[in-house]
């Protein structure tokens, strides 16, 4: 069987593990992974990956033989009990975290920010479904509350079907030549948001209940959507589990206020539990940091430490280290 020279392309859509690759010439090819590339399950192409594709003669689809090094990636802990990472997207410039304005989940927002900051990309927060708020003062109150949590350097935008100003503000974040990955739980209105950006219905949306503004899960694939006059958005299915993975830097960035107080603790290895001279505990007592926020911070730190211990135990059992990149043998 003949084998044509490998071509370079980008994974623009992922349906149930089958990548759709757009080659440099614009042609789109449905692909499967080379057996040698994924035989140990450690590496599979995700949306945004730049890959090398072979086109064997007589083969129904292309074969991904190499995944080129990623400049960044959005990673969570695999939802199973295994201590392994799951990459959701790669090679992007901005992470846009979507939360419904009338039902902001602070604990989930903290986790989403940790994962977003850990990528090293720009971060923005979009509060959707603002039209469900009681009045403009309620919108302002929620926006300022979220802004105080995420920091002044992170754009906090409000989007409503009834007001184009928020959409235009988001367009400014999604400048030409920029790729954004859109994350949020199912029902926050990600597909509706993309339709507003594009100017037409390119993504299916589910019905919304009047009582709580929740919609049905409609996005089942990960794909890149072009924004006319702007950049591109990676639309993702709603993500439930957000286990952190090697996210120390992301935690530091998402909890910058706590980090600032921690730098003032008497002991450098302060755990912020019961040590004397703990500036973080003092900040909580002074009302500068909420007890719930500190609880989230400590919980995420412990989660990372526990995961690190489990990974180390797994390595010792196997007696080897996994590489982060892999290429098909020729």
């Amino acid at each position: 069987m003949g084998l044509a020279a490998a071509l370079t392309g980008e994974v623009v859509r992922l349906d149930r593990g089958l990548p759709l690759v757009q080659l440099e010439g614009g042609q789109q090819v449905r692909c499967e992974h080379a057996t040698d590339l994924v035989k140990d399950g450690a590496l599979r192409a995700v949306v945004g990956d730049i890959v090398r594709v072979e086109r064997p003669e007589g083969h129904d689809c292309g074969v991904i033989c190499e995944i080129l090094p990623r400049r960044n990636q959005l990673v969570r802990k695999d939802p199973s009990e295994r201590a392994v990472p799951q990459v959701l997207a790669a090679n992007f410039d901005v992470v846009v975290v979507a939360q419904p304005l009338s039902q902001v989940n602070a604990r989930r927002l903290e986790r989403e920010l940790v994962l977003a900051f850990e990528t090293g990309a720009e971060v923005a927060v979009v509060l959707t479904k603002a039209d469900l708020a009681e009045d403009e003062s309620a919108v302002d109150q929620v926006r300022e509350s979220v802004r105080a949590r995420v920091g002044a350097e992170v754009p906090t935008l409000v989007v409503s079907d009834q007001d184009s100003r928020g959409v235009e503000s988001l367009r400014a974040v999604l400048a030409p030549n920029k790729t954004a990955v859109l994350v949020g739980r199912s029902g926050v209105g990600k597909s509706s948001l993309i339709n507003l950006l594009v100017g037409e219905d390119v993504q299916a949306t589910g019905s919304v209940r009047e009582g709580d503004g929740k919609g049905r899960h409609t996005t089942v694939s990960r794909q890149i959507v072009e924004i006319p006059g702007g950049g591109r958005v990676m639309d993702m299915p709603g993500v439930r589990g957000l286990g952190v993975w090697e996210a120390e830097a992301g935690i530091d960035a998402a909890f910058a206020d706590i980090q600032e107080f921690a730098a003032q603790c008497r002991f450098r290895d302060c755990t912020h539990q019961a040590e004397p001279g703990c500036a973080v505990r003092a900040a909580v007592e002074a009302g500068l940091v909420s007890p719930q926020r500190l609880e989230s911070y400590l919980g995420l730190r412990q989660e990372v430490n526990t995961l690190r211990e489990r990974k180390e135990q797994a390595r010792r059992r196997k007696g080897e280290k996994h590489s982060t990149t892999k290429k098909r043998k020729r």
Side-chain angles (χ1 to χ4, degrees):
M1 180 181 295
L3 189 67
L7 303 172
T8 302
E10 179 186 31
V11 178
V12 295
R13 186 181 176 99
L14 197 65
D15 294 291
R16 295 177 175 82
L18 291 177
L20 180 66
V21 176
Q22 182 165 311
L23 302 176
E24 289 181 336
Q27 180 185 7
Q28 294 188 343
V29 180
R30 184 67 67 180
C31 295
E32 60 186 21
H33 292 86
T35 302
D36 289 349
L37 187 69
V38 296
K39 62 182 178 182
D40 60 1
L43 186 64
R44 287 183 178 273
V46 299
V47 168
D49 265 328
I50 305 300
V51 297
R52 297 282 287 168
V53 176
E54 293 175 345
R55 304 289 300 274
E57 293 181 9
H59 208 65
D60 292 336
C61 58
V63 178
I64 295 176
C65 57
E66 182 183 358
I67 300 173
L68 300 187
R70 297 162 175 160
R71 58 188 175 91
N72 62 7
Q73 54 188 17
L74 180 66
V75 186
R76 68 169 175 175
K77 177 186 171 296
D78 191 289
S80 69
E81 291 302 313
R82 299 180 300 160
V84 296
Q86 181 185 40
V87 181
L88 303 178
N91 303 320
F92 44 84
D93 306 288
V94 186
V95 179
V96 177
V97 176
Q99 284 260 350
L101 183 139
S102 59
Q103 292 184 321
V104 172
N105 184 322
R107 291 294 180 91
R108 181 181 175 92
L109 176 59
E110 289 166 346
R111 283 183 173 270
E112 290 171 332
L113 289 171
V114 167
L115 268 63
F117 281 121
E118 187 67 25
T119 68
E122 300 173 30
V123 179
V125 173
V126 175
L127 302 175
T128 63
K129 304 184 179 181
D131 50 297
L132 297 178
E134 293 182 2
D135 51 39
E136 192 64 28
S137 64
V139 172
D140 292 339
Q141 182 179 359
V142 174
R143 177 171 47 209
E144 292 309 310
S145 174
V146 171
R147 184 173 290 159
R149 183 177 295 273
V150 304
E153 71 282 359
V154 176
T156 301
L157 312 175
V158 175
V159 175
S160 167
D161 292 347
Q162 313 301 323
D163 190 343
S164 62
R165 290 175 297 176
V167 177
E168 293 308 312
S169 296
L170 183 55
R171 282 183 185 275
V173 173
L174 305 178
N177 301 320
K178 280 192 175 182
T179 299
V181 55
L182 180 59
V183 298
R185 65 172 174 79
S186 179
V188 303
K190 298 190 300 297
S191 295
S192 296
L193 185 60
I194 288 180
N195 290 340
L196 287 172
L197 288 168
V198 173
E200 60 180 293
D201 292 344
V202 295
Q203 298 291 80
T205 58
S207 58
V208 175
R209 297 197 296 265
E210 292 184 1
D212 56 15
K214 291 183 178 180
R216 294 176 296 153
H217 180 83
T218 53
T219 302
V220 295
S221 63
R222 296 180 172 90
Q223 63 179 312
I224 296 177
V225 179
E226 300 282 344
I227 305 300
R232 309 184 306 165
V233 176
M234 296 178 178
D235 191 16
M236 312 284 286
V239 178
R240 292 183 180 178
L242 287 174
V244 295
W245 179 264
E246 296 181 347
E248 289 89 347
I251 294 174
D252 290 349
F255 293 87
D257 53 342
I258 293 181
Q259 286 299 109
E260 289 181 6
F261 289 116
Q264 304 170 32
C265 290
R266 181 182 303 176
F267 303 107
R268 294 186 61 182
D269 59 349
C270 184
T271 63
H272 318 305
Q273 300 287 345
E275 296 92 338
C278 176
V280 173
R281 285 289 179 186
V284 172
E285 293 172 4
L288 301 176
V289 175
S290 72
Q292 295 80 9
R293 184 161 171 78
L294 176 58
E295 182 183 351
S296 293
Y297 171 81
L298 295 176
L300 287 165
R301 284 288 186 193
Q302 183 57 48
E303 190 174 324
V304 169
N305 292 336
T306 300
L307 182 60
R308 184 185 296 113
E309 293 171 1
R310 291 177 59 189
K311 286 167 56 185
E312 186 57 35
Q313 292 171 1
R315 269 198 204 102
R316 286 199 296 265
R317 284 196 299 269
K318 292 183 178 180
E320 60 182 14
K321 294 183 179 180
H322 290 297
S323 60
T324 56
T325 58
K326 187 174 181 181
K327 184 176 179 179
R328 182 189 178 192
K329 294 179 181 179
R330 301 225 177 234

